[in-house]
Amino acid sequence: MGRAVKIGVVGAGSAVYALGLVRDLCLAEHLYGSRVTFMDIDPERLEVVGQLANRYAEEMGVDLAFETTGERAVALRDADFVINTALAGGHGWEESWRHEAEKLGYYRGLRLQTNFHQYDLMLSLVRDMEELCPDAWLIQSSNPLFEGCTLMTRESPIEVVGLCHGFWGYRRLAEAIGVPSDEVQWQAVGVNHWIYLTQFRHQGVDLYPRIDQWIESESEDYWHEFRGGYGETQLSRAAIDHYLHVGLMPIGDASRTFSEWYYHTDLETKRRWYGYLGGFDSQIGWSRYLDRLAERVQHIHDVALDPGVRVTDAFPPERTHELQVPVMDAIANDRPGVYQVNVPNRGAIENIADDVVVEGKALVDGAGVHLLHVGPLPEKLMYTVLYPRVLKAEKELATYLSGDRDMLLSCVLDDHQTRSLEQAQQAVYRLLCLPWNEPLAERFGHEPLECDLGEYDLPDVDEIL
Amino acid sequence: MGRAVKIGVVGAGSAVYALGLVRDLCLAEHLYGSRVTFMDIDPERLEVVGQLANRYAEEMGVDLAFETTGERAVALRDADFVINTALAGGHGWEESWRHEAEKLGYYRGLRLQTNFHQYDLMLSLVRDMEELCPDAWLIQSSNPLFEGCTLMTRESPIEVVGLCHGFWGYRRLAEAIGVPSDEVQWQAVGVNHWIYLTQFRHQGVDLYPRIDQWIESESEDYWHEFRGGYGETQLSRAAIDHYLHVGLMPIGDASRTFSEWYYHTDLETKRRWYGYLGGFDSQIGWSRYLDRLAERVQHIHDVALDPGVRVTDAFPPERTHELQVPVMDAIANDRPGVYQVNVPNRGAIENIADDVVVEGKALVDGAGVHLLHVGPLPEKLMYTVLYPRVLKAEKELATYLSGDRDMLLSCVLDDHQTRSLEQAQQAVYRLLCLPWNEPLAERFGHEPLECDLGEYDLPDVDEIL
């Protein structure tokens, strides 16, 4: 029926992600006959994913071969698609560094990408792909997706498409204003996690006035009664306030509005803007997210390793909201479809540089990924959000590539939470001293980090004048 | 000998500036026969300048006609050169707004250009010039020079050249390392007040190693014994620290390093970096500057209005360091010379956009101002200083042009001193309520300024979880 392909999955030990992928693949008849090679550095988690996948396909009676390997080259060799879900160090590294940064006065940690291991991993991956599967597509699915895809597409000829499910927030918005989410026409563009709703229609009628109406007449009740989960930021007071200031609705992760430091200064402020959990990114919301994730992973592990349970009973075959399988199907079988993707801009958003990876809709088919032209985004949005956001990404990438510690220090100084040079220097110092950051310390040199400009006796100014 | 021209001086009531201009003109033999029309809205100060100029020329016995007018059109009509030194509201407005902002927690005021009257004035000036002297050169001499020249050259076909004496800081540097300042070859480029020393040579030998040597062996003694004036920031601890972090020496006003907020958080910090006066921009340094300026203005007024004193005795005829007269001479008489100017980039600095006004050396002659090509500036300098600086200017100009209060609020939120949304909203509110800011309030609309998103009862999180 369709083309059998080889799919290499890197960082496959993420059970939640792998389960979704297996379910979607088992429902993608045009990809039957394909072979999926899961690669991970953790043999135990890999074993779980392998069991789960094979049992799922067997119970469904579909022709898909799942295998596992600890060697990346095995997953990549002759692959048609490589899916990268790897997060170097997992949430553990992230949390330990956040903890260190909090000691220095950075509430919830620094607001910059400091896990440069992710860039090392991405670059080494595309370089390996150039050798082992130069014609394969890389489907990038882990963060930092925006910076990572921008970096890889500049440094390698490998075709990369970044996929993220954050854009589904438009559906939450449609539901709130009482329009069936399947019937809306929408466009949300920008860079990953910073996308804004530039079109929103139902049967040809602009829906923005209805959003405004919801804000006017329903939002207060919603916020007052809000007892939702950590992830429900789409209709938060912060998202609406942000919309009122920038002129377009932030969608999905954009409603976490990280460009706006003032929603995130402390828990009290976060709770004011995001409700009683303080949103996804407060200590409450985030720890709840990590707890739920751990529970879910444990449940998947238990099911995968329990021969007495049918995995298709525990996790019934339903399509997820993820786009990895539909996009692979569209490319492999030349079955055109329009999907939300992250690829180099190349003129689609006219006021963003060509070689920056942007997010928007694309027609995907056998010839590749063709971003739909957007035109210029409004000046107000550009100046308040996107120009600074792109500059921040460029600066962090240039810092990574240069290995220049002054630039790293400058990135930390840019953080609105930084109060003094010494605090920033301490943050850089401690970042480079983290046990798992040895390669980073090496990259940024070994000289003493404190900038000692010597003693200086401050005379009393009243005495002098 | 040369060409007699008409020069219109707008904002001529600045006695210190006018005195310098008169002295330089009286020594510029190729411009003898020219006519200078001083225009100012203050008749008293204008009278002083007129007296001073005519007496100076008379005592020197040179053929220059000086006249005064309260009408700008009279100064502009058929002018060959227009010099704009006007500062709307003078230092008074600036100080009163700084005082207001300090009440809100902004030490030494906000770090953004909020005197939009200057832009109004500049734009109306070039528009008048289009009518009254379309072929004249505008020599812009008041601040904000960078943003103002960028704005005018985008909005009008009038030829504009911005001149600033800040670049002379390179001479202070040469003196410190024991090299005759007249013998050094130098290049300092960037945008006005943010220029960096890209070349520094003596007899073909790079002088940077000697700067490094001075830092190594002499800087501590210099700083320890420093009892200099408010303006001596070129060799300050801040300037040197900034150089060590960005890789090139900041020159002149760049040594005030406003891009680096952390030198300026409070008086104690400023004194640590700039010496016992806290530098030019501390409450001490700046009030001393204003006092000295007032004393000097008073002295010029006294001399100008005292028929018993020869003005050439009080102010002997010596050339100033200002470039207005040499540049007019070069253009009017086609006498080529290389001068430090501010004009649209048009490719000179390769990593700054073409239509941004940059500072650097230009060959100036009868055909105009020809910026010398620079090439790309180092990435480290661009990311730590110039990209953010240019973006800040673009955002502030877009804010001015749009009259969008959200963008104004966003500019205030960008200020590293801002601690909360409410503080920024208060700052915008008070700015627009200043008695002399009525046109600005009108430009930014009349709706209530507080963004009231209603009451929200914060439940106790421990109780809920």
Side-chain angles (χ1 to χ4, degrees):
Chain A
M1 279 186 66
R3 193 177 140 221
V5 294
K6 175 181 171 180
I7 303 167
V9 184
V10 175
S14 162
V16 176
Y17 183 85
L19 171 62
L21 181 67
V22 167
R23 286 203 288 181
D24 285 344
L25 279 170
C26 287
L27 293 166
E29 53 185 355
H30 294 87
L31 291 172
Y32 289 168
S34 294
R35 184 159 57 98
V36 181
T37 309
F38 289 118
M39 178 268 158
D40 202 282
I41 52 171
D42 182 330
E44 213 171 310
R45 301 198 306 172
L46 197 57
E47 168 67 16
V48 168
V49 168
Q51 288 277 351
L52 182 80
N54 280 306
R55 290 179 58 201
Y56 210 102
E58 198 175 33
E59 290 177 22
M60 293 272 295
V62 299
D63 175 21
L64 286 169
F66 293 102
E67 59 192 20
T68 61
T69 177
E71 280 177 60
R72 198 163 74 186
V74 174
L76 302 190
R77 186 162 291 117
D78 304 324
D80 299 287
F81 297 98
V82 174
I83 301 178
N84 181 23
T85 73
L87 173 59
H91 289 299
W93 281 6
E94 200 171 88
E95 290 307 302
S96 67
W97 168 226
R98 198 199 306 279
H99 186 68
E100 277 301 308
E102 287 216 312
K103 287 190 212 159
L104 295 172
Y106 293 95
Y107 172 65
R108 304 295 298 141
L110 266 78
R111 306 284 193 267
L112 61 140
Q113 179 54 235
T114 45
N115 185 354
F116 288 165
H117 296 274
Q118 279 296 81
Y119 298 142
D120 284 345
L121 195 154
M122 291 178 194
L123 285 185
S124 75
L125 178 62
V126 285
R127 274 161 198 156
D128 281 0
M129 287 177 67
E130 290 167 28
E131 297 298 316
L132 299 167
C133 51
D135 298 325
W137 277 84
L138 173 61
I139 298 182
Q140 178 62 35
S141 302
S142 56
N143 285 315
L145 199 136
F146 165 35
E147 288 89 348
C149 289
T150 299
L151 177 66
M152 288 188 288
T153 51
R154 286 176 183 173
E155 300 281 326
S156 168
I158 291 292
E159 293 274 19
V160 178
V161 56
L163 298 179
C164 172
H165 51 225
F167 68 90
W168 288 101
Y170 82 88
R171 296 174 79 89
R172 185 75 195 81
L173 200 58
E175 287 157 19
I177 61 172
V179 178
S181 55
D182 284 334
E183 295 179 15
V184 296
Q185 298 301 319
W186 60 281
Q187 183 192 58
V189 295
V191 298
N192 182 240
H193 290 187
W194 274 261
I195 58 171
Y196 290 82
L197 193 64
T198 44
Q199 297 181 26
F200 201 40
R201 294 185 307 276
H202 185 233
Q203 297 170 343
V205 178
D206 183 19
L207 290 173
Y208 259 103
R210 292 189 56 173
I211 298 176
D212 295 337
Q213 209 177 353
W214 182 88
I215 294 169
E216 181 79 17
S217 57
E218 295 179 51
S219 62
E220 279 301 332
D221 286 345
Y222 173 82
W223 292 327
H224 197 78
E225 286 159 28
F226 179 73
R227 292 290 181 274
Y230 52 83
E232 293 191 29
T233 58
Q234 183 62 66
L235 296 174
S236 64
R237 217 177 268 265
I240 301 303
D241 183 64
H242 188 52
Y243 156 51
L244 295 175
H245 283 301
V246 303
L248 292 173
M249 269 301 294
I251 294 298
D253 295 290
S255 62
R256 292 155 75 182
T257 61
F258 279 130
S259 46
E260 310 300 335
W261 57 265
Y262 48 90
Y263 300 132
H264 304 279
T265 49
D266 49 50
L267 180 59
E268 196 192 344
T269 303
K270 274 170 121 57
R271 295 178 75 195
R272 176 179 155 208
W273 291 109
Y274 289 100
Y276 73 110
L277 289 174
F280 209 154
D281 306 287
S282 77
Q283 56 268 58
I284 305 167
W286 191 252
S287 87
R288 192 172 263 206
Y289 162 70
L290 293 181
D291 287 350
R292 295 274 165 89
L293 188 63
E295 280 168 28
R296 185 137 177 79
V297 167
Q298 189 57 52
H299 178 54
I300 296 171
H301 281 221
D302 291 347
V303 168
L305 302 177
D306 179 354
V309 182
R310 279 177 60 88
V311 292
T312 48
D313 286 346
F315 312 111
E318 284 163 11
R319 280 195 185 81
T320 71
H321 277 174
E322 300 289 345
L323 295 181
Q324 281 76 6
V325 172
V327 163
M328 287 190 290
D329 188 8
I331 294 173
N333 294 304
D334 205 3
R335 293 175 6 106
V338 172
Y339 301 103
Q340 184 83 356
V341 301
N342 292 267
V343 289
N345 183 35
R346 293 188 189 121
I349 300 177
E350 289 175 19
N351 33 16
I352 293 182
D354 285 356
D355 65 347
V356 169
V357 166
V358 297
E359 177 162 331
K361 281 183 178 172
L363 181 82
V364 183
D365 62 18
V369 177
H370 321 281
L371 206 54
L372 307 189
H373 186 257
V374 174
L377 290 177
E379 206 177 43
K380 184 165 169 167
L381 181 69
M382 292 307 297
Y383 279 113
T384 49
V385 178
L386 287 172
Y387 285 138
R389 179 66 191 90
V390 171
L391 179 56
K392 181 171 183 285
E394 295 285 12
K395 182 170 180 171
E396 289 174 22
L397 286 175
T399 297
Y400 165 73
L401 289 171
S402 68
D404 186 303
R405 208 163 50 212
D406 293 314
M407 288 180 67
L408 184 58
L409 180 67
S410 183
C411 290
V412 176
L413 285 161
D414 287 345
D415 189 315
H416 207 93
Q417 294 195 92
T418 304
R419 293 283 176 268
S420 70
L421 178 59
E422 290 67 29
Q423 184 191 13
Q425 285 171 326
Q426 275 296 316
V428 169
Y429 181 79
R430 293 206 197 174
L431 174 66
L432 299 183
C433 291
L434 289 170
W436 39 270
N437 258 345
E438 214 170 296
L440 191 64
E442 204 167 311
R443 175 183 279 270
F444 285 93
H446 282 293
E447 309 95 64
L449 293 150
E450 278 85 358
C451 173
D452 186 0
L453 284 164
E455 293 299 316
Y456 186 74
D457 299 328
L458 278 181
D460 184 61
V461 73
D462 293 325
E463 216 172 274
I464 290 163
L465 292 179
Chain B
M1 278 185 68
R3 194 177 139 222
V5 294
K6 174 182 170 179
I7 302 167
V9 185
V10 176
S14 162
V16 176
Y17 183 86
L19 172 61
L21 182 68
V22 167
R23 286 203 287 183
D24 285 344
L25 279 170
C26 287
L27 292 166
E29 51 184 356
H30 295 88
L31 293 171
Y32 289 167
S34 293
R35 185 158 57 97
V36 181
T37 308
F38 288 117
M39 178 269 160
D40 202 282
I41 51 169
D42 182 331
E44 213 171 310
R45 300 199 307 173
L46 197 57
E47 168 67 15
V48 167
V49 167
Q51 287 278 350
L52 183 79
N54 279 307
R55 290 179 59 199
Y56 210 103
E58 197 176 32
E59 290 177 21
M60 293 273 295
V62 299
D63 175 21
L64 286 169
F66 292 102
E67 59 192 20
T68 62
T69 178
E71 281 177 60
R72 197 163 75 186
V74 173
L76 302 190
R77 187 160 291 118
D78 304 324
D80 299 287
F81 297 97
V82 174
I83 301 178
N84 181 23
T85 72
L87 174 59
H91 289 299
W93 282 5
E94 199 171 271
E95 291 308 303
S96 67
W97 169 227
R98 199 199 306 277
H99 186 68
E100 277 302 307
E102 287 216 312
K103 287 190 213 158
L104 294 171
Y106 292 96
Y107 172 67
R108 303 297 297 142
L110 266 78
R111 306 284 192 265
L112 61 140
Q113 180 54 236
T114 46
N115 185 355
F116 287 165
H117 296 274
Q118 279 295 81
Y119 298 143
D120 284 345
L121 195 154
M122 290 178 195
L123 285 184
S124 75
L125 178 63
V126 285
R127 273 159 198 159
D128 282 0
M129 287 178 67
E130 289 168 27
E131 297 298 316
L132 299 167
C133 53
D135 298 325
W137 277 84
L138 173 61
I139 298 182
Q140 178 61 36
S141 301
S142 56
N143 285 316
L145 199 136
F146 165 36
E147 288 89 347
C149 290
T150 299
L151 178 65
M152 289 187 288
T153 51
R154 286 177 183 172
E155 301 282 325
S156 168
I158 292 290
E159 293 272 19
V160 178
V161 56
L163 299 178
C164 173
H165 51 224
F167 68 89
W168 289 102
Y170 81 88
R171 297 174 78 90
R172 185 75 197 81
L173 199 59
E175 286 157 20
I177 60 172
V179 178
S181 55
D182 284 334
E183 294 179 15
V184 295
Q185 299 300 320
W186 60 280
Q187 184 191 58
V189 296
V191 298
N192 182 240
H193 290 187
W194 274 261
I195 58 170
Y196 290 81
L197 193 65
T198 43
Q199 296 181 26
F200 201 40
R201 294 185 307 278
H202 184 234
Q203 298 171 342
V205 179
D206 182 19
L207 289 172
Y208 259 104
R210 292 191 54 177
I211 298 176
D212 295 337
Q213 210 178 353
W214 182 88
I215 294 169
E216 179 81 17
S217 56
E218 295 180 49
S219 63
E220 278 301 333
D221 287 345
Y222 172 83
W223 292 327
H224 197 76
E225 287 159 27
F226 179 72
R227 291 293 181 272
Y230 52 82
E232 293 191 29
T233 57
Q234 182 62 65
L235 296 174
S236 65
R237 218 178 267 264
I240 300 303
D241 184 64
H242 188 53
Y243 156 52
L244 295 175
H245 282 302
V246 302
L248 292 173
M249 269 300 296
I251 293 298
D253 295 289
S255 62
R256 292 156 75 183
T257 60
F258 279 130
S259 45
E260 309 300 335
W261 57 265
Y262 48 90
Y263 300 133
H264 304 278
T265 49
D266 50 48
L267 181 59
E268 195 192 346
T269 303
K270 274 171 120 58
R271 295 179 75 194
R272 176 179 155 207
W273 292 109
Y274 288 100
Y276 73 110
L277 289 174
F280 209 154
D281 306 287
S282 77
Q283 54 269 59
I284 306 168
W286 191 252
S287 86
R288 193 174 262 206
Y289 163 69
L290 292 181
D291 287 349
R292 295 275 164 90
L293 188 62
E295 280 168 28
R296 185 136 175 78
V297 167
Q298 190 56 52
H299 178 54
I300 296 170
H301 281 222
D302 292 347
V303 168
L305 302 178
D306 180 354
V309 183
R310 279 176 62 88
V311 292
T312 48
D313 285 348
F315 310 111
E318 284 163 13
R319 281 193 183 84
T320 71
H321 276 175
E322 300 289 345
L323 294 181
Q324 281 77 5
V325 172
V327 163
M328 288 191 289
D329 187 9
I331 294 172
N333 294 303
D334 206 2
R335 292 173 7 105
V338 173
Y339 300 103
Q340 184 84 354
V341 302
N342 291 267
V343 289
N345 184 35
R346 294 189 189 120
I349 299 177
E350 290 175 19
N351 33 16
I352 293 182
D354 285 356
D355 65 347
V356 170
V357 166
V358 297
E359 178 162 330
K361 282 184 178 171
L363 181 83
V364 183
D365 61 19
V369 176
H370 321 282
L371 205 54
L372 308 189
H373 186 257
V374 174
L377 289 177
E379 207 177 44
K380 184 166 170 168
L381 180 69
M382 292 306 298
Y383 279 114
T384 49
V385 177
L386 288 171
Y387 286 138
R389 180 65 190 92
V390 171
L391 180 56
K392 181 171 183 285
E394 295 284 12
K395 182 170 182 173
E396 290 174 22
L397 287 175
T399 298
Y400 164 73
L401 290 171
S402 67
D404 185 305
R405 207 164 49 214
D406 293 314
M407 287 179 69
L408 184 57
L409 180 68
S410 182
C411 289
V412 176
L413 285 161
D414 288 345
D415 188 315
H416 208 93
Q417 293 195 93
T418 304
R419 294 281 175 271
S420 71
L421 178 58
E422 291 66 29
Q423 184 191 13
Q425 285 170 327
Q426 275 298 316
V428 168
Y429 181 79
R430 294 208 196 173
L431 175 65
L432 298 183
C433 292
L434 289 171
W436 40 269
N437 258 345
E438 214 170 295
L440 191 65
E442 205 168 307
R443 176 183 279 269
F444 284 92
H446 282 293
E447 309 95 65
L449 292 149
E450 277 86 358
C451 173
D452 187 2
L453 284 165
E455 292 300 315
Y456 186 74
D457 298 327
L458 278 181
D460 184 60
V461 73
D462 293 326
E463 217 170 90
I464 292 162
L465 292 179

